[in-house]
């Protein structure tokens, strides 16, 4: 049985990060805890709006309360298990992926007769008579920090053979959420205080007949076996370019050469599958030493008298993916003095109100919010201008480099701290120290008559 690790806790001393990983045999809630988004989750609210002859009509709303983790195409899939013999007579704003065996019904045929239905969102352009509010975006949910208005999705269903009172209705069990792959673990449905709805004229309030909530939390360790991104570093004061650690996201498999693509190969297109618009497929990456689908490069570019400038470049090595509505979360102590971003949107993240050391960056709509597939156009970049704070600013001991970086909510692999580019005077001190050590050794040998 394999091991799963909790989210890493990072402590800082003298500008160098020390990472501790704690392993557990099996999933525990700590694996879904993110110190940069401690309350982030996806909440599913199930509101019974009215009773029918043999069941009820309910509105199911999915809220993405995660600050920087979004759901991209082909979108979410929500599943559950009925506890009795329920069927879905009809739906608006969504549909089940399978109808199931409805052969026992005569006349009206239900929309779905499966014991374990799976529901997906409808696509843009769905006829209006099949829509409800917040539906029909192909299952794509934005992150809460980027755009709360598009971080909500909803559909409506008519359930039969379910009971017609609060005492006879049973809450479904075994909720699952794919977004679009694995990674989310959902709690059991919990009956809560009925939701209250304010009318369009804001003068009347109605409420659901019955409401239950389901909370789903994300674990990067459940979503994929290997990381999905890595970080490389460079600076104007040192010619060293610190690459992503070797095998950050896996290693090239020489026995199975098809696990990556050589960009110089004559027939790249022939090895890239075309599974269709709504299929979820694993990454097919360019052959590199790090083998990551995405690389973030942080370059300390210029040092001014009162400011310093950084260039951030995000490169897509995945031939199977255009990253839409991508975002980047960076933790650095100087974000409390960020002055300007030149071609990315920016918003501070302050999960702990007194500390402002984390920011979320994302693309400008219709300009660079789409990170193209691997190739000459598969990158986006911007520059960040920071104001210096006299009491904290330094280029020594790796201070100018980020402590942690997330891409689309996944923690990226950082280079080891001792490989960071050092200031030239720091390097010369090391050389002088080595010279003094050699001279001291020679003197010792000479005084003891060994030379």
């Amino acid at each position: 049985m394999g091991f799963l690790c909790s989210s890493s806790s990072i402590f800082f001393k003298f500008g160098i990060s020390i990472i501790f990983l704690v392993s557990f045999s099996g999933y525990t809630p700590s694996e879904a805890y993110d110190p940069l988004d401690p309350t982030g989750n996806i909440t599913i609210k199930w509101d019974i709006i009215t009773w029918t002859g043999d069941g009820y009509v309910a509105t199911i709303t999915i809220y993405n309360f995660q600050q920087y983790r979004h759901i991209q195409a082909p979108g979410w899939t929500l599943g559950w298990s009925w506890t009795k013999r329920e069927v879905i007579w009809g739906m608006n704003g969504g549909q089940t992926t399978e109808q199931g065996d409805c052969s026992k019904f005569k006349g009206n045929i239900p929309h779905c007769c499966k014991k374990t239905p799976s529901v997906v969102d409808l696509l843009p352009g769905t006829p209006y008579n099949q829509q409800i509010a917040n539906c029909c975006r192909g299952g794509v949910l934005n992150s809460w920090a980027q755009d709360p208005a598009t971080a909500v999705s909803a559909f409506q269903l008519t359930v039969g053979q379910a009971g017609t009172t609060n005492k006879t209705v049973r809450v479904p069990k075994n909720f699952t959420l794919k977004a679009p792959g694995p990674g989310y673990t959902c709690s059991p449905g919990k009956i809560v205080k009925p939701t209250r709805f304010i009318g369009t004229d804001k003068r009347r309030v109605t409420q659901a007949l019955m409401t239950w909530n389901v909370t789903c939390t994300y674990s990067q360790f459940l979503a994929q076996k290997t990381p999905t991104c890595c970080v490389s570093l460079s600076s104007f004061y040192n010619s060293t370019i610190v690459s992503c650690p070797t095998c950050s996201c896996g290693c090239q498999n020489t026995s199975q050469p098809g696990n990556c693509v050589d960009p110089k190969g004559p027939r790249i297109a022939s090895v890239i599958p075309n599974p269709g618009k709504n299929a979820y497929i694993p990454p097919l990456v360019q052959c590199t030493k790090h083998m990551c689908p995405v690389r973030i490069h942080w370059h300390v570019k210029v040092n001014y008298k009162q400011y310093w400038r950084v260039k951030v470049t995000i490169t897509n090595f995945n031939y199977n993916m255009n990253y839409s509505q991508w975002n980047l979360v960076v933790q650095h102590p100087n974000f409390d003095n960020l002055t300007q971003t030149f071609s990315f949107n920016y918003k501070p993240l302050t999960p702990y109100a007194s500390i402002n050391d984390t920011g979320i960056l994302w693309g400008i709509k219709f300009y660079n919010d789409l990170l193209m597939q691997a190739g000459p156009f598969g990158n986006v970049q911007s520059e960040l201008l920071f104001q210096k704070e006299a009491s904290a600013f330094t280029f020594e001991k790796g201070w100018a480099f980020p402590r942690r970086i997330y891409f689309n909510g996944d923690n990226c692999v950082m280079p080891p701290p001792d490989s960071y580019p050092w200031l030239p005077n720091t390097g010369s001190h090391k050389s002088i120290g080595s010279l003094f050590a050699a001279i001291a050794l020679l003197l010792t040998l000479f005084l003891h008559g060994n030379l």
Side-chain angles (χ1 to χ4, degrees):
M1 185 175 182
F3 287 90
L4 295 175
C5 300
S6 69
S7 299
S8 58
S9 299
I10 299 185
F11 303 90
F12 303 98
K13 185 174 182 181
F14 308 118
I16 297 178
S17 60
I18 304 171
I19 303 177
F20 296 93
L21 297 178
V22 183
S23 299
F24 299 92
S25 57
Y27 175 76
T28 65
S30 64
E31 292 164 20
Y33 175 75
D34 186 345
L36 300 185
D37 189 13
T39 60
N41 67 74
I42 291 181
T43 297
I44 301 160
K45 185 179 288 289
W46 191 301
D47 292 308
I48 295 179
I49 305 302
T50 184
W51 302 115
T52 63
D54 67 340
Y56 58 84
V57 176
T59 298
I60 291 84
T61 309
I62 303 173
Y63 298 91
N64 183 14
F65 290 128
Q66 298 174 114
Q67 291 297 310
Y68 49 81
R69 186 173 292 109
H70 67 279
I71 297 177
Q72 57 192 14
W76 54 261
T77 301
L78 179 64
W80 62 84
S81 298
W82 294 117
T83 55
K84 299 199 294 186
R85 295 185 298 167
E86 293 93 337
V87 296
I88 301 175
W89 284 113
M91 293 189 67
N92 284 316
Q95 63 183 1
T96 59
T97 55
E98 296 182 45
Q99 183 184 37
D101 182 8
C102 296
S103 58
K104 68 179 181 179
F105 290 90
K106 311 297 181 183
N108 291 334
I109 305 298
H111 176 85
C112 179
C113 301
K114 284 182 69 68
K115 182 77 172 178
T116 56
S118 294
V119 176
V120 294
D121 194 12
L122 296 180
L123 298 173
T126 297
Y128 287 112
N129 63 349
Q130 299 176 28
Q131 295 187 26
I132 68 167
N134 294 315
C135 85
C136 312
R137 291 194 289 265
V140 174
L141 281 176
N142 219 328
S143 64
W144 198 259
Q146 285 178 261
D147 186 7
T150 56
V152 182
S153 187
F155 60 90
Q156 193 173 83
L157 48 76
T158 302
V159 182
Q161 300 183 172
T164 57
T165 68
N166 289 23
K167 294 184 178 180
T168 56
V169 167
R170 295 290 178 266
V171 178
K173 58 184 181 181
N174 300 330
F175 282 89
T176 61
L177 178 67
K178 295 183 179 180
Y184 285 91
T185 301
C186 297
S187 70
K190 180 181 179 181
I191 297 175
V192 296
K193 187 176 180 180
T195 305
R196 292 164 60 87
F197 305 99
I198 301 176
T200 54
D201 61 359
K202 302 185 185 303
R203 301 175 64 188
R204 173 174 165 80
V205 176
T206 58
Q207 72 177 40
L209 304 176
M210 188 177 181
T211 297
W212 56 81
N213 283 355
V214 177
T215 302
C216 301
T217 53
Y218 179 82
S219 168
Q220 183 175 342
F221 304 96
L222 296 179
Q224 60 274 321
K225 294 180 180 179
T226 59
T228 58
C229 54
C230 65
V231 179
S232 56
L233 309 169
S234 62
S235 65
F236 70 90
Y237 54 77
N238 192 313
S239 60
T240 301
I241 298 176
V242 180
S243 302
C244 287
T246 302
C247 295
S248 293
C249 304
C251 296
Q252 293 188 32
N253 191 340
T254 55
S255 62
Q256 297 179 353
N259 70 327
C260 64
V261 179
D262 184 355
K264 298 180 180 178
R267 296 185 301 166
I268 291 181
S270 66
V271 299
I272 302 175
N274 184 18
K277 187 174 182 180
N278 297 316
Y280 173 69
I281 53 177
L284 178 64
V285 300
Q286 180 178 316
C287 294
T288 59
K289 290 184 178 180
H290 55 78
M291 291 294 288
C292 289
V294 173
R295 182 191 68 196
I296 295 92
H297 186 76
W298 180 279
H299 175 64
V300 181
K301 185 176 181 180
V302 183
N303 181 27
Y304 305 108
K305 184 177 181 180
Q306 295 182 346
Y307 300 90
W308 62 292
R309 184 188 292 252
V310 168
K311 183 177 181 179
V312 178
T313 304
I314 308 171
T315 305
N316 185 2
F317 292 93
N318 186 357
Y319 287 95
N320 281 342
M321 177 68 77
N322 287 331
Y323 292 96
S324 60
Q325 298 177 338
W326 60 266
N327 66 60
L328 193 71
V329 172
V330 182
Q331 187 178 38
H332 189 282
N334 213 180
F335 264 111
D336 57 350
N337 286 315
L338 179 65
T339 303
Q340 187 176 359
T341 59
F342 290 90
S343 60
F344 288 169
N345 292 306
Y346 163 76
K347 183 177 181 180
L349 293 178
T350 53
Y352 312 101
S354 61
I355 303 174
N356 180 15
D357 65 351
T358 307
I360 176 172
L361 306 165
W362 69 94
I364 298 171
K365 196 170 182 61
F366 304 124
Y367 175 59
N368 58 1
D369 61 330
L370 182 66
L371 179 57
M372 301 293 289
Q373 293 173 337
F377 302 106
N379 69 86
V380 291
Q381 52 190 304
S382 180
E383 295 190 2
L384 313 177
L385 186 66
F386 295 94
Q387 186 175 8
K388 293 180 180 179
E389 184 178 347
S391 61
F393 175 81
T394 179
F395 281 138
E396 293 183 352
K397 300 174 182 176
W399 185 91
F401 298 105
R403 308 298 187 256
R404 193 184 318 197
I405 288 184
Y406 288 70
F407 178 79
N408 277 359
D410 284 344
N411 201 352
C412 299
V413 177
M414 298 287 296
D418 59 357
S419 68
Y420 287 14
W422 290 79
L423 283 169
N425 59 348
T426 305
S428 62
H429 288 165
K430 291 169 69 178
S431 300
I432 293 171
S434 300
L435 178 61
F436 281 144
I439 292 173
L441 177 61
L442 289 172
L443 286 173
T444 301
L445 294 172
F446 177 78
L447 291 174
H448 285 80
N450 292 329
L451 286 179

